[in-house]
Amino acid sequence: MWLFAGALLAWLGLLMLLWPQAVFTFTEGWKSDSPGQPSGLYLLSTRIGGAAMLAVGVLSVILHFMS
C-alpha cells in the first residue's frame, strides 16, 4: 500500500515539477472560456508543491524498503 502511494506521489510531484503548464490546463484551464496562461506565481507554487510531493513520495518508497 505505502509503496504504491509513494510511487504515485513521486510521479505526480515530478509531473508538477516538470510540466506545471499541463497541471494548469488540467486543473484550472477548463474553468475559463477565455484562453489564458498561468501566472508566474502559479507556476512557482506548483513547482514548489511538486518538489515537496516528489520528496515525500521518494521517502515513502525508501521507508517501505527499509522496514
Side-chain angles (χ1 to χ4, degrees):
M1 169 71 180
W2 289 109
L3 178 64
F4 176 73
L8 182 64
L9 275 177
W11 184 82
L12 289 173
L14 190 62
L15 178 72
M16 289 172 66
L17 188 62
L18 297 179
W19 297 289
Q21 293 89 355
V23 173
F24 174 80
T25 302
F26 184 70
T27 61
E28 304 293 333
W30 62 274
K31 295 178 186 177
S32 175
D33 290 334
S34 61
Q37 296 297 321
S39 68
L41 182 60
Y42 179 87
L43 294 175
L44 178 66
S45 65
T46 303
R47 285 191 170 126
I48 291 171
M53 284 180 65
L54 180 61
V56 169
V58 168
L59 285 175
S60 176
V61 169
I62 290 171
L63 288 175
H64 172 76
F65 285 114
M66 289 180 67
S67 59

